[in-house]
């Protein structure tokens, strides 16, 4: 008799025979046998999670207090995440807040009706652009508009491709000024599309204008077009006659909001440490680079081939308006940078110690070692950032002249003595910054007098003692000490530069000025 399969309650049986296999019993035995393995897996997984959590917490705490061995371990948190975690913990328990990590308190946002958006394109070198940024913030604040982070010059002689955030700490710039003006990294999308389509107004504002000019002439344009682009920013705000609030805001931007990036700041501190290890140092802003000589037409000490090269360069740049220049006449008027040879004689006449370190804050000196020979012989401790640092330290700064200039700026601020050989933008802005830091010694050379004295000494009509005495007497009151800015009505270009002597911001300026 053939077998017949019958399914009863999920069991496979054979009619009239014994049970072959039960699915339920099979499942039950499988579960019973797997329970120990599941418990073991759960224990291992739970232990791993706990250990990893402890490790992460220890690593985060190790950034603050932990043993040194933990500080070398990689962390799964970024620095920002770690700081956030510490801040969050500290909000629950203030004792967890380390004194080495101060909580950053942001100023409250200023609330105002936004009249539109101001875009600016800065022109010139680093310090010309720096002063312009300060002016543009003040203008945006006064007009109650939103400022877009300024665009830096990429088409000048230096052709530096650096963006604002490559040189300055852009987040600090925005947040530190938020109680004065709203600043955005870029336009809102709708307005950005309009600008891309050319639907905005662009213009160069009039130089040396009062703040009232921007209220009367520029504000209506912003209200009409919503976006106005100022395509030149150098010397667009007058030095004098501005409301005290405007002057103080220009200083606040310059000395507080415009911080260099952490990379530039750290490298600057390293250069200063290296110099300080060997005693006091003097920073010499030797403005004797090829572009300066070509632009100014100053060729004292150059051979005929160099004079021809500099002339060709001057004609190659159409925005350098002056082409035919009498170098000798310009030099006698004090309008040329001192040559390395003239600088050597001046430093010796001022009794600058032969053994002091002299840091050359400049680009490549035109004429190279030949022109630097007399200065190097008189002052053998000449150094530059390129000689103090390894090539690897500067590899990110190559072909970025503004970032290189930022390093020189930081070192110049900290020097025991600062000596500029030409009153260009860096010389003026550093002079003003050193005044703000407490009237640090800055020797402001009277070039017109110096070239006359030097020529007389070289011709033999003055002895060395007579020459040295005359140089020291002429510069006794030109050491960056307190003084009033010179105002010349209707001739703003001849006035003292605001950023060289921001007297409204100097403390305690009244007492210091009354003593002079």
């Amino acid at each position: 008799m053939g077998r017949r399969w019958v399914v009863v309650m999920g069991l496979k049986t054979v009619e009239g025979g014994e049970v072959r296999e039960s699915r339920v019993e099979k499942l039950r035995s499988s579960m019973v046998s797997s329970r120990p393995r599941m418990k073991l897996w759960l224990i291992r997984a739970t232990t791993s999670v706990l250990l990893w959590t402890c490790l992460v917490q220890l690593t985060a705490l190790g950034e603050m207090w932990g043993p040194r061995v933990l500080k070398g371990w990689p962390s799964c948190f970024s620095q920002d995440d770690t700081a956030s975690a510490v801040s969050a913990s500290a909000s629950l328990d203030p004792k967890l807040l380390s004194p080495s990590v101060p909580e950053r308190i942001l100023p409250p946002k200023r609330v105002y009706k936004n009249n539109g958006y101001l875009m600016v394109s800065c022109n010139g070198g680093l310090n010309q652009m720096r002063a312009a940024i300060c002016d543009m913030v003040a203008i945006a604040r006064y007009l109650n508009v939103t400022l877009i982070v300024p665009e830096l010059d990429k088409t000048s002689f230096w052709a530096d491709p650096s963006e604002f955030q490559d040189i300055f700490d852009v987040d600090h710039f925005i947040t530190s000024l938020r109680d004065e003006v709203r600043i955005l990294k870029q336009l809102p999308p709708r307005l950005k599309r309009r600008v891309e389509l050319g639907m905005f107004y662009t213009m160069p504002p009039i130089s040396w204008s009062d703040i009232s000019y921007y209220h009367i002439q520029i504000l209506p344009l912003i209200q009409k077009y919503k976006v106005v682009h100022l395509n030149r920013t150098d010397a667009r705000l007058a030095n004098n006659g501005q409301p005290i609030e405007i002057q103080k805001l220009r200083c606040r931007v310059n000395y507080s909001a415009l911080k260099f990036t952490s990379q530039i700041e750290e490298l600057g501190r390293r250069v200063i440490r290296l110099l300080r290890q060997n005693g006091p140092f003097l920073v010499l802003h030797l403005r004797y680079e090829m572009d300066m000589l070509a632009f100014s037409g100053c060729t004292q000490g150059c051979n005929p081939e160099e004079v021809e090269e500099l002339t060709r360069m001057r004609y190659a740049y159409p925005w350098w308006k002056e082409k035919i220049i009498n170098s000798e006449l310009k030099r006698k008027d004090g309008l040329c940078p001192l040559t390395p040879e003239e600088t050597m004689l001046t430093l010796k006449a001022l009794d600058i110690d032969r053994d002091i370190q002299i840091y050359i804050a400049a680009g490549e000196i035109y004429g190279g070692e030949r022109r630097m020979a007399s200065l190097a012989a008189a002052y053998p401790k000449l150094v530059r950032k390129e000689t103090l640092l390894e090539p690897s330290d500067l590899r990110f700064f190559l072909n970025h002249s503004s970032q290189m200039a930022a390093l020189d700026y930081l070192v110049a601020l900290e020097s025991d003595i600062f000596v500029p050989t030409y009153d260009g933008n860096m010389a003026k802005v550093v002079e003003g910054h050193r005044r703000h830091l407490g009237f640090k010694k800055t020797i402001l050379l009277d070039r017109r007098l110096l070239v006359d004295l030097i020529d007389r000494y070289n011709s033999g009509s003055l002895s060395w003692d007579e020459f040295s005495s005359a140089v020291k007497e002429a510069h006794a009151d030109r050491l960056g000490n307190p003084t009033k800015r010179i105002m010349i009505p209707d001739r703003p270009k001849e006035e003292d530069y605001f950023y060289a002597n921001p007297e409204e911001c100097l403390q305690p300026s009244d007492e210091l000025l009354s003593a002079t």
Side-chain angles (χ1 to χ4, degrees):
M1 183 178 177
R3 293 182 178 177
R4 186 161 55 91
W5 294 92
V6 179
V7 178
V8 181
M9 298 293 291
L11 302 176
K12 277 188 180 179
T13 63
V14 181
E15 184 180 4
E18 62 182 357
V19 175
R20 301 289 298 269
E21 187 175 11
S22 169
R23 288 184 179 177
V24 173
E25 290 177 3
K26 193 174 182 180
L27 179 61
R28 185 178 299 153
S29 63
S30 173
M31 290 176 65
V32 169
S33 62
S34 66
R35 279 175 184 169
R37 290 196 299 272
M38 290 180 65
K39 286 181 179 180
L40 182 60
W41 182 86
L42 285 172
I43 291 170
R44 287 177 177 173
T46 303
T47 303
S48 298
V49 170
L50 288 172
L51 287 172
W52 178 248
T53 303
C54 291
L55 177 61
V56 167
Q57 294 298 324
L58 285 171
T59 304
L61 291 174
E63 295 293 330
M64 297 168 60
W65 317 295
R68 292 183 181 181
V69 67
L70 286 176
K71 290 189 176 183
W73 291 12
S75 171
C76 61
F77 288 134
S78 67
Q79 291 182 355
D80 290 338
D81 291 335
T82 303
S84 300
V86 172
S87 298
S89 300
S91 65
L92 298 175
D93 185 357
K95 295 179 181 179
L96 293 178
L97 185 60
S98 169
S100 62
V101 187
E103 185 178 359
R104 186 179 180 189
I105 301 175
L106 299 178
K109 289 184 178 180
R110 176 169 167 260
V111 179
Y112 61 94
K113 180 183 177 182
N114 182 35
N115 286 320
Y117 295 82
L118 181 64
M119 298 174 62
V120 296
S121 293
C122 300
N123 56 293
L126 173 66
N127 293 286
Q128 182 171 308
M129 292 191 292
R130 183 186 183 107
I133 291 166
C134 301
D135 288 351
M136 293 301 117
V137 169
I139 289 164
R141 162 65 176 84
Y142 184 77
L143 299 184
N144 286 335
V145 298
T146 297
L147 178 68
I148 306 304
V149 168
E151 178 187 23
L152 303 188
D153 192 341
K154 300 177 183 61
T155 61
S156 66
F157 168 82
W158 301 276
D160 187 338
S162 299
E163 301 288 353
F164 187 99
Q165 62 270 19
D166 297 324
I167 300 174
F168 300 108
D169 184 335
V170 65
D171 293 322
H172 174 79
F173 176 69
I174 292 172
T175 56
S176 66
L177 291 169
R178 67 187 211 152
D179 60 332
E180 293 284 1
V181 64
R182 184 182 181 217
I183 304 175
L184 299 178
K185 293 181 181 179
Q186 57 183 359
L187 286 166
R190 180 178 60 84
L191 291 175
K192 188 177 180 182
R193 286 193 294 271
R194 289 183 59 184
V195 168
E196 290 170 350
L197 294 172
M199 300 170 63
F200 67 103
Y201 193 87
T202 184
M203 62 174 289
I206 297 173
S207 299
W208 311 112
S209 297
D210 288 332
I211 197 71
S212 58
Y213 159 81
Y214 290 90
H215 182 76
I216 297 169
Q217 299 291 332
I218 306 300
L219 181 57
L221 294 173
I222 296 176
Q223 292 172 325
K224 178 179 180 180
Y225 294 97
K226 300 303 178 187
V227 179
V228 167
H229 173 230
L230 302 183
N231 53 32
R232 288 186 69 86
T233 58
D234 60 316
R236 301 295 143 162
L237 188 58
N239 291 307
N240 301 300
Q242 308 311 304
I244 188 67
E245 295 80 10
I246 293 294
Q247 304 291 59
K248 287 186 175 293
L249 180 54
R250 294 164 93 175
C251 291
R252 179 180 169 187
V253 181
N254 197 18
Y255 307 130
S256 178
L258 282 178
K259 285 178 56 180
F260 292 123
T261 64
S262 58
Q263 183 184 26
I264 293 173
E265 292 268 356
E266 175 53 37
L267 203 55
R269 284 193 292 269
R270 194 188 312 173
V271 172
I272 293 164
R273 283 197 301 270
L274 291 170
L275 289 165
R276 285 278 175 232
Q277 289 172 5
N278 297 311
F281 67 95
L282 177 152
V283 166
L284 179 64
H285 184 43
L286 189 60
R287 195 69 171 93
Y288 205 76
E289 302 101 333
M290 184 179 184
D291 66 294
M292 181 71 243
L293 302 181
F295 171 77
S296 64
C298 298
T299 57
Q300 177 74 11
C302 295
N303 59 42
E305 291 77 15
E306 290 172 333
V307 173
E308 183 179 347
E309 181 181 39
L310 294 172
T311 303
R312 285 199 306 269
M313 183 178 183
R314 183 164 66 252
Y315 277 89
Y317 289 89
W319 52 87
W320 291 354
K321 302 284 179 70
E322 196 176 10
K323 302 299 182 185
I324 302 174
I325 299 173
N326 185 323
S327 176
E328 185 61 27
L329 183 60
K330 197 165 187 179
R331 174 177 174 269
K332 288 187 178 298
D333 285 338
L335 300 176
C336 287
L338 293 185
T339 67
E341 298 86 356
E342 292 168 342
T343 301
M344 178 272 294
L345 289 172
T346 301
L347 295 180
K348 288 184 67 177
L350 289 168
D351 289 338
I352 299 298
D353 189 344
R354 169 182 169 82
D355 292 324
I356 195 172
Q357 299 172 97
I358 295 183
Y359 176 94
I360 305 295
E364 184 177 354
I365 300 303
Y366 191 63
E369 293 183 6
R370 175 179 66 85
R371 296 305 300 272
M372 291 293 288
S374 61
L375 182 59
Y379 293 95
K381 293 184 178 179
L382 293 181
V383 295
R384 305 170 63 96
K385 51 187 172 292
E386 292 85 356
T387 60
L388 290 169
L389 298 170
E390 298 295 330
S392 58
D393 295 323
L394 292 170
R395 67 181 184 275
F396 294 113
F397 296 85
L398 296 177
N399 302 318
H400 293 81
S401 59
S402 290
Q403 295 183 48
M404 287 287 206
L407 285 177
D408 286 342
Y409 186 97
L410 289 171
V411 180
L413 284 186
E414 293 298 320
S415 63
D416 297 283
I417 308 172
F418 177 59
V419 183
T421 61
Y422 186 72
D423 56 353
N425 287 295
M426 177 169 172
K428 291 175 179 177
V429 177
V430 170
E431 174 193 345
H433 204 151
R434 286 172 66 86
R435 287 178 181 274
H436 185 261
L437 294 173
F439 300 97
K440 300 175 77 172
K441 189 173 183 179
T442 302
I443 302 179
L444 305 171
L445 301 178
D446 185 339
R447 294 189 307 281
R448 184 172 184 175
L449 175 65
L450 279 172
V451 296
D452 177 61
L453 291 174
I454 288 170
D455 288 346
R456 289 165 62 190
Y457 168 71
N458 285 334
S459 69
S461 62
L462 278 181
S463 69
W464 174 258
D465 289 342
E466 291 171 329
F467 170 69
S468 180
S469 296
V471 171
K472 284 198 281 280
E473 182 181 355
H475 293 88
D477 292 324
R478 297 174 65 89
L479 302 176
N481 44 300
T483 184
K484 292 288 290 183
R485 259 196 336 266
I486 296 175
M487 298 176 60
I488 306 177
D490 302 321
R491 288 190 290 168
K493 291 183 180 181
E494 300 175 33
E495 291 183 325
D496 283 348
Y497 190 44
F498 172 81
Y499 293 102
N501 185 16
E503 62 181 64
E504 296 90 337
C505 312
L506 305 180
Q507 299 294 334
S509 58
D510 293 339
E511 293 88 336
L512 288 168
L513 290 171
S514 62
T516 59

